[in-house]
Amino acid sequence: MTPRSLLALPLLTLTLAAEAAPPDAAAGKQRVDEHCQSCHKEEIYTRPERKMTNRNRLRNQVQRCEMALGLQWFDSDIEDVTHYLDQQYYRFGQGGG
């Protein structure tokens, strides 16, 4: 291994560890409270004609909102918010369906 690749190894390890961490619903709730409540009241998640029909669509919508607000969240932040909204309102589960 070269010295350069030895320097990259800890970064790769941290990246893989971060990706392996399960979503944190409490962190997701905090982000929703801080950033989403100004546009979305609870009714948007509970309305009968809601547009979210599966977890993948929910995650994509969370990502669109994050980008529209210029929040620059990590993928793990998006997963945390998706997980919180799914647990609290949608109940799609981790399978995406």
Side-chain angles (χ1 to χ4, degrees):
M1 286 188 142
T2 66
R4 178 178 257 178
S5 62
L6 287 174
L7 290 174
L9 190 58
L11 180 61
L12 177 62
T13 302
L14 287 174
T15 302
L16 293 175
E19 290 178 9
D24 181 348
K29 180 184 183 333
Q30 182 177 356
R31 290 200 180 278
V32 167
D33 291 347
E34 288 174 12
H35 302 288
C36 305
Q37 295 297 325
S38 62
C39 296
H40 302 297
K41 304 301 176 212
E42 188 170 291
E43 294 81 30
I44 198 164
Y45 308 120
T46 59
R47 63 187 176 180
E49 70 281 359
R50 66 184 183 194
K51 296 179 180 178
M52 297 304 107
T53 57
N54 62 55
R55 194 173 194 286
N56 292 332
R57 284 189 78 171
L58 176 59
R59 187 190 191 288
N60 290 340
Q61 184 59 47
V62 169
Q63 191 169 31
R64 280 192 293 273
C65 289
E66 175 266 334
M67 290 171 54
L69 293 173
L71 297 173
Q72 298 182 338
W73 286 350
F74 292 106
D75 286 345
S76 60
D77 299 324
I78 293 168
E79 284 301 322
D80 291 345
V81 170
T82 302
H83 184 66
Y84 166 71
L85 292 174
D86 187 30
Q87 275 192 336
Q88 187 69 25
Y89 301 105
Y90 296 102
R91 311 230 188 269
F92 298 129
Q94 289 285 29

